[in-house]
Amino acid sequence: MSAPSDDVRIYSPEHLLTQAATAAEHLGYRILEFYVDEAGNLAKGVTSQIATFHYSPSGGTLRDHNLNIVLYSAKFDLYKGFGKAERDV
């Protein structure tokens, strides 16, 4: 049995990307699942509740089931910098 920290439903940037690599896609979002606390926030460990989240690789955002932005990180944006002209330095 794997250690609890290896459970990809415990939120971490690495677990988000691991899930996203094989997640089902719906309307441009990758459908992910993470443990949440009583308030529905991403949990730092295993809880009794799992919630569905929507990850947008083209915007680097993770949204809850109501599509409210839960987090944004430029490192999750697959298209960051795409189309910007490189400048000679």
Side-chain angles (χ1 to χ4, degrees), residues 53-89:
F53 291 87
H54 301 80
Y55 162 61
S56 173
S58 65
T61 56
L62 184 67
R63 296 173 180 266
D64 66 14
H65 68 281
N66 291 320
L67 298 182
N68 296 312
I69 295 175
V70 174
L71 66 87
Y72 163 80
S73 177
K75 69 180 168 185
F76 297 147
D77 187 343
L78 297 181
Y79 305 104
K80 179 182 139 199
F82 182 74
K84 291 184 179 179
E86 291 187 29
R87 297 180 186 175
D88 293 332
V89 179

Side-chain angles (χ1 to χ4, degrees), residues 9-60:
R9 294 174 297 179
I10 297 172
Y11 175 76
S12 73
E14 295 80 16
H15 289 166
L16 184 149
L17 295 173
T18 298
Q19 282 194 54
T22 59
E25 190 172 319
H26 181 70
L27 299 175
Y29 290 101
R30 304 282 172 89
I31 309 304
L32 312 180
E33 291 185 339
F34 290 106
Y35 291 107
V36 294
D37 62 19
E38 301 80 30
N41 299 315
L42 291 169
K44 298 182 189 266
V46 175
T47 67
S48 61
Q49 297 178 315
I50 297 173
T52 299
F53 291 87
H54 301 80
Y55 162 61
S56 173
S58 65

